[in-house]
Amino acid sequence: MKTLIVYAHPEPKSLNGSLKDLAVSTLESVGHEVRVSDLYAMNWKAVVDAADYGPDASSPLKVPLDSGRAFDAGTLTPDVLAEQRKLLWADTVIFQFPLWWYTMPAILKGWVDRVFTYRFAYGVGEHSDTKYGERFGEGTLAGRKALLSVTVGGPESHYSARGINGPIEDLLFPIHHGILYYPGIEALPPFVLYSVDRMTVEDYADVAKAWEQRLLTLESTEPIPFRPQNFGDYEIPSLHLKEGLEPTGRAGFGLHLRR
Amino acid sequence: MKTLIVYAHPEPKSLNGSLKDLAVSTLESVGHEVRVSDLYAMNWKAVVDAADYGPDASSPLKVPLDSGRAFDAGTLTPDVLAEQRKLLWADTVIFQFPLWWYTMPAILKGWVDRVFTYRFAYGVGEHSDTKYGERFGEGTLAGRKALLSVTVGGPESHYSARGINGPIEDLLFPIHHGILYYPGIEALPPFVLYSVDRMTVEDYADVAKAWEQRLLTLESTEPIPFRPQNFGDYEIPSLHLKEGLEPTGRAGFGLHLRR
């Protein structure tokens, strides 16, 4: 297994830092190759702007077109090119981050915004009245798997089916489906730790054991069964799910699960 | 009306820039006060780190506790303090941004991550076995309203109830409910423009008319009817929605709507 860990926490001595370190040592101990993008340590530029496209930036700036032109010309900035190469190298990607305001920290969103350029992660394949790209199950990163490892301050009940924050699987859907599955990456069920603000040293021993267990079984873990876009489940060009495909009563994001 | 516009697009000559400018002129033309936080023009620092809390940062860094201590001591950085003051000044907040990877651009997420500190936006009110804070309808920013004005590259059908991206109201729920309603801000129904990558100059005339219409009727627009946390709809301390409160068949994020 070739694993890229994209890690987004400002404090190396945090729980997130420990989980990242444990992932590296656990995977390497059984012979896997691991690379880490430590976004804070890299001083990752979080913000898309014209400097990302250098001489390929048009005026006025057009983010999709300009990023696609720079991608095709090989003139994206070295930091972005390096991350794209790491994604192409990897067969597995782990994202390690705290849930801040119900989604990823800005530095990690900025990694997505800048690395997932047009022609690399979107705008791939034919776009016409009969086909809307190779995406959701197809695309540049098809054949890869990803796992979100997320720490959450609040208790699990607040993120359950009836919990006030909404179900964690729905909160993570825009990442699992919208960011990962879109360019072809299969999302594995996430590793989520709750109530981390109250975690003790004793708790951490159990957490570490559970995390190691997840890491050592990644290759046999079934991904979340999202429906691929181009294999008959959706109307073209509306991309509505065809009537009758979903179990009775299922709605919202859950429609896009195969079973 | 005192309106703060938080605007996040790198190109002043973009559709987002035009909508921001039109909001300023339209609101001012009828006597409202308007302030703009143009995050790109301000070179907004998007990333939470120890520098945010200066001498109040502990080692190892604890983002919630340190941000709360710096908030209480009045020692947050001047850029964050200025945004908190603008929010306290405003009765209405408009967020103008493009939907990038199904949520806000990193620079705007970084505005939330840095400005919505502990003790200002969360960690407000009693937290015990019988109460879990003043939030979701209560909090520091109660009494204010906010509107998301969002541009979307893809067509509306892809964001409808059966659309492949998921319903737009579910994609925006973590912002409307998780970011805005949490510290007390009522979220108004969003102003969403689709297929903007194909928009023509002729289309823009209609768009501008619709946007002016929304702006001039903001004060009479009913907010999204989210359920407040502390007025009987939720079990304590699980914060599960009480059984039987939702219309038959409603699930997921939709549970948290009053009707």
Side-chain angles (χ1 to χ4, degrees):
Chain A
M1 221 164 65
K2 293 176 180 174
T3 303
L4 170 62
I5 301 177
V6 184
Y7 160 64
H9 196 284
E11 175 54 63
K13 291 178 188 161
S14 61
L15 174 61
N16 276 269
S18 298
L19 295 170
K20 178 263 293 174
D21 290 342
L22 185 59
V24 173
S25 60
T26 301
L27 293 170
E28 288 185 341
S29 74
V30 291
H32 297 309
E33 291 177 73
V34 182
R35 297 178 71 179
V36 177
S37 290
D38 180 342
L39 300 186
Y40 274 93
M42 293 156 74
N43 197 23
W44 179 259
K45 175 180 181 278
V47 167
V48 168
D49 59 25
D52 286 351
Y53 317 125
D56 293 298
S58 51
S59 180
L61 182 71
K62 300 271 191 191
V63 171
L65 296 180
D66 292 348
S67 75
R69 195 174 321 114
F71 174 78
D72 285 341
T75 55
L76 288 164
T77 54
D79 59 347
V80 169
L81 286 172
E83 296 307 300
Q84 291 184 341
R85 275 190 220 108
K86 289 180 202 171
L87 284 166
L88 294 172
W89 166 84
D91 52 49
T92 309
V93 189
I94 295 172
F95 293 89
Q96 179 67 56
F97 62 94
L99 198 72
W100 285 355
W101 293 103
Y102 301 102
T103 185
M104 49 176 64
I107 198 169
L108 181 52
K109 181 58 174 29
W111 182 90
V112 175
D113 287 348
R114 294 185 61 234
V115 174
F116 277 34
T117 65
Y118 193 72
R119 305 273 296 144
F120 178 74
Y122 68 111
V124 173
E126 179 189 336
H127 284 69
S128 67
D129 285 344
T130 55
K131 185 164 182 187
Y132 199 88
E134 288 160 15
R135 54 174 205 165
F136 294 115
E138 297 175 285
T140 301
L141 299 175
R144 290 164 182 77
K145 295 176 185 175
L147 172 73
L148 306 184
S149 173
V150 185
T151 63
V152 178
E156 183 165 7
S157 68
H158 298 192
Y159 293 85
S160 65
R162 301 184 71 81
I164 192 165
N165 295 325
I168 191 71
E169 60 268 26
D170 285 352
L171 291 168
L172 297 180
F173 177 90
I175 304 176
H176 283 144
H177 184 265
I179 292 175
L180 297 172
Y181 195 57
Y182 189 113
I185 304 174
E186 300 269 7
L188 300 175
F191 183 74
V192 184
L193 297 176
Y194 297 95
S195 299
V196 298
D197 294 341
R198 299 176 178 207
M199 190 175 287
T200 64
V201 175
E202 291 73 47
D203 295 333
Y204 182 69
D206 290 339
V207 160
K209 200 175 295 179
W211 183 219
E212 286 174 311
Q213 189 61 23
R214 279 301 306 272
L215 290 162
L216 293 173
T217 53
L218 280 188
E219 286 169 296
S220 59
T221 302
E222 286 294 315
I224 300 170
F226 293 128
R227 298 174 187 275
Q229 171 178 291
N230 295 324
F231 294 83
D233 285 1
Y234 294 92
E235 308 281 357
I236 304 286
S238 70
L239 290 180
H240 284 181
L241 183 69
K242 289 180 178 169
E243 291 291 341
L245 287 187
E246 71 279 15
T248 308
R250 192 184 283 176
F253 293 151
L255 286 182
H256 305 288
L257 294 171
R258 281 202 304 272
R259 51 174 188 270
Chain B
M1 220 162 68
K2 292 175 179 174
T3 302
L4 170 64
I5 302 177
V6 184
Y7 160 64
H9 197 285
E11 175 53 64
K13 292 179 186 160
S14 61
L15 174 60
N16 276 270
S18 298
L19 295 170
K20 179 264 292 172
D21 291 343
L22 185 59
V24 173
S25 61
T26 301
L27 293 171
E28 288 185 341
S29 74
V30 290
H32 297 307
E33 292 177 72
V34 181
R35 299 178 70 179
V36 176
S37 290
D38 179 342
L39 300 185
Y40 273 93
M42 293 156 71
N43 197 23
W44 179 258
K45 174 179 180 280
V47 167
V48 168
D49 58 24
D52 287 351
Y53 315 125
D56 293 297
S58 52
S59 181
L61 181 72
K62 300 272 191 189
V63 171
L65 296 180
D66 292 347
S67 74
R69 196 175 319 114
F71 174 77
D72 285 339
T75 55
L76 289 164
T77 54
D79 59 347
V80 169
L81 286 171
E83 297 306 300
Q84 291 185 341
R85 276 191 220 106
K86 288 181 203 171
L87 284 166
L88 294 172
W89 166 84
D91 52 48
T92 308
V93 188
I94 296 173
F95 294 89
Q96 179 67 57
F97 62 94
L99 199 71
W100 284 355
W101 293 103
Y102 301 101
T103 185
M104 48 177 65
I107 199 170
L108 181 52
K109 181 56 174 27
W111 182 90
V112 175
D113 288 347
R114 294 187 61 236
V115 174
F116 278 33
T117 64
Y118 193 71
R119 306 272 297 142
F120 177 74
Y122 67 111
V124 173
E126 178 191 336
H127 284 69
S128 67
D129 285 345
T130 55
K131 186 163 182 188
Y132 200 88
E134 288 160 16
R135 53 175 207 165
F136 294 116
E138 297 173 287
T140 302
L141 299 175
R144 291 164 180 78
K145 295 175 183 174
L147 173 74
L148 305 185
S149 174
V150 184
T151 64
V152 178
E156 184 166 6
S157 69
H158 297 192
Y159 293 86
S160 66
R162 300 185 72 81
I164 192 165
N165 295 325
I168 191 70
E169 60 269 25
D170 285 351
L171 291 168
L172 297 180
F173 177 90
I175 304 176
H176 283 142
H177 183 266
I179 292 174
L180 298 173
Y181 194 57
Y182 190 113
I185 305 174
E186 299 269 7
L188 300 175
F191 182 75
V192 184
L193 297 175
Y194 297 95
S195 298
V196 299
D197 294 341
R198 298 175 180 209
M199 190 175 287
T200 64
V201 175
E202 292 73 44
D203 295 332
Y204 182 69
D206 290 338
V207 160
K209 199 175 294 178
W211 183 217
E212 286 174 310
Q213 188 62 25
R214 278 303 304 273
L215 290 163
L216 294 173
T217 54
L218 279 189
E219 287 169 296
S220 60
T221 302
E222 286 294 316
I224 300 171
F226 293 127
R227 299 174 189 274
Q229 172 177 290
N230 295 323
F231 294 84
D233 285 2
Y234 294 93
E235 308 280 358
I236 303 287
S238 70
L239 290 180
H240 284 182
L241 183 68
K242 289 180 178 169
E243 291 292 340
L245 286 187
E246 72 277 15
T248 308
R250 191 183 285 174
F253 294 151
L255 287 183
H256 305 288
L257 294 170
R258 279 201 305 274
R259 50 174 189 268

